[in-house]
Amino acid sequence: MKHLLSALGAAAMLAAAPAGAAESVNLMLNWTPTADHSPIYFAKAKGWYSQAGLDVTIEAGKGSVVSAQRVGSGGADLGVSDLATSMQARGKGANITAVMVIYANSPQGFYWLKSSGIKGPKDFVGRKIGNPPGDAARIMWPAFAKKVGIDPASVNFVNISPPAKVAALKSKSVDIISDFYNEHDLKAREFGADLGFQPWRGIGVNPYGNSIIVNNAYLQANKERVAKFTAITQRAYEACVEDFDPCLQALTAAVSGLNPDNQRDQWERIKTLMRDDTTAKVALGAFDPARVKSDYELVSSLIGVDKAFDPATMFTKTSWTGR
């Protein structure tokens, strides 16, 4: 993956830290930290943010919905949120713009046990899906359901926390769980040949996934600060693609309770999710305007956008650029 920075982003990243106090930047994650957030912890541990005069605070999240709402209201400067969820939040008044995509492909998937009699998504009717209430999969569910030809109201969602998903499926307290493709290996080891899996992208629902979003008022007042943060974060993601070991070390040093082997498996899946033509040929983190427009049309037609807006304004080229 090529790492291309605009003149603004490159200059901001390479410049010496300004005199005086560091500029504070608050970043709210979509969930608790895992491998997909490791480049941010790596950049912080390496001092890349502080060298650019940024004092970055990382806050664990409770779902893309919550992150989009917090950033949109100004409760956090920047955040990590599923782009389609962010679009719907913006339609409800959230004052947000995306500056970098992390997942160029949707990480969403559904898992079930074949022994339950479920052969595919059409068999979800009347079943219980275990899913956190703030998760992007629940917001995007109508798009998935309509795509596979079932009534969105034909399933029952059960509130469970992310760590409880596997146990809930194993105990059969739910029939299906939603989860990111990152965690695929963990479930494959647990359930073996009995595991059923349907990635959303496999049925033609492949919107952009996790992206870095910023509060618009904060962006307008702090363009250079946001450019610095985005440029450094791009650099960190590219470094972790090249060599994940230092990134894993930074993550596990900052976050307790993570299994390094599981995080390493996750990162291998994440690299696949980050890759598309635009991230490979333009820049890591770059959006394709045509895809953003397509995602907006998907959200608008299958889920609904309360107040329409121009999808071209959903993202900005803060620090990445084309050839």
Side-chain angles (χ1 to χ4, degrees):
M1 295 182 180
K2 295 185 180 296
H3 176 66
L4 302 172
L5 301 174
S6 68
L8 173 61
M13 184 177 70
L14 297 175
E23 300 169 321
S24 64
V25 176
N26 173 256
L27 174 74
M28 184 176 192
L29 304 181
N30 54 311
W31 285 116
T32 54
T34 51
D36 51 349
H37 307 115
S38 61
I40 300 168
Y41 285 90
F42 172 70
K44 187 174 173 69
K46 291 286 287 184
W48 290 354
Y49 293 126
S50 60
Q51 289 164 16
L54 303 179
D55 179 15
V56 176
T57 301
I58 305 170
E59 180 183 355
K62 295 183 179 179
S64 285
V65 174
V66 176
S67 179
Q69 291 172 344
R70 277 282 302 280
V71 175
S73 66
D77 305 325
L78 294 103
V80 178
S81 178
D82 173 79
L83 188 68
T85 301
S86 297
M87 287 178 172
Q88 193 178 43
R90 182 163 172 175
K92 294 179 183 295
N95 194 28
I96 52 179
T97 298
V99 294
M100 175 181 168
V101 63
I102 298 173
Y103 289 148
N105 298 288
S106 173
Q108 298 288 356
F110 284 119
Y111 293 87
W112 63 87
L113 301 182
K114 295 176 183 177
S115 56
S116 69
I118 297 174
K119 296 179 180 178
K122 288 188 178 296
D123 296 327
F124 288 5
V125 175
R127 303 282 189 157
K128 293 184 290 185
I129 300 178
N131 175 274
D135 190 73
R138 192 175 298 201
I139 297 298
M140 290 292 292
W141 163 252
F144 180 96
K146 291 173 184 177
K147 190 72 174 181
V148 299
I150 62 175
D151 182 352
S154 66
V155 304
N156 297 306
F157 279 97
V158 177
N159 294 340
I160 58 174
S161 66
K165 288 180 180 180
V166 171
L169 187 60
K170 189 173 184 177
S171 68
K172 300 182 181 179
S173 59
V174 298
D175 304 297
I176 306 146
I177 57 173
S178 71
D179 211 349
F180 276 15
Y181 185 57
N182 308 12
E183 292 275 8
H184 186 86
D185 297 283
L186 187 65
K187 286 178 281 295
R189 286 193 295 269
E190 179 69 32
F191 299 110
D194 195 29
L195 184 67
F197 171 55
Q198 177 61 67
W200 287 40
R201 60 193 182 279
I203 55 102
V205 180
N206 190 32
Y208 280 121
N210 285 357
S211 303
I212 295 178
I213 59 173
V214 61
N215 176 274
N216 287 337
Y218 181 84
L219 174 61
Q220 290 305 310
N222 302 280
K223 289 183 179 179
E224 185 176 348
R225 191 182 306 184
V226 175
K228 288 179 184 179
F229 176 85
T230 310
I232 293 167
T233 304
Q234 280 182 289
R235 177 187 174 195
Y237 272 86
E238 185 174 59
C240 294
V241 168
E242 295 297 322
D243 184 4
F244 183 59
D245 284 345
C247 304
L248 177 60
Q249 292 169 13
L251 176 67
T252 54
V255 182
S256 62
L258 297 177
N259 181 293
D261 290 336
N262 181 31
Q263 298 305 309
R264 196 179 300 279
D265 286 343
Q266 283 198 38
W267 185 251
E268 290 304 308
R269 303 285 183 177
I270 290 164
K271 287 193 293 185
T272 299
L273 294 171
M274 290 196 298
R275 187 179 300 114
D276 74 346
D277 283 347
T278 304
T279 59
K281 297 176 181 178
V282 178
L284 181 62
F287 290 99
D288 174 6
R291 277 198 64 191
V292 174
K293 183 174 184 291
S294 176
D295 287 359
Y296 176 83
E297 291 170 351
L298 181 148
V299 173
S300 179
S301 64
L302 297 182
I303 303 173
V305 174
D306 288 1
K307 186 176 181 180
F309 60 90
D310 182 355
T313 65
M314 189 66 222
F315 71 97
T316 183
K317 296 182 180 181
T318 302
S319 67
W320 51 265
T321 184
R323 294 181 182 275

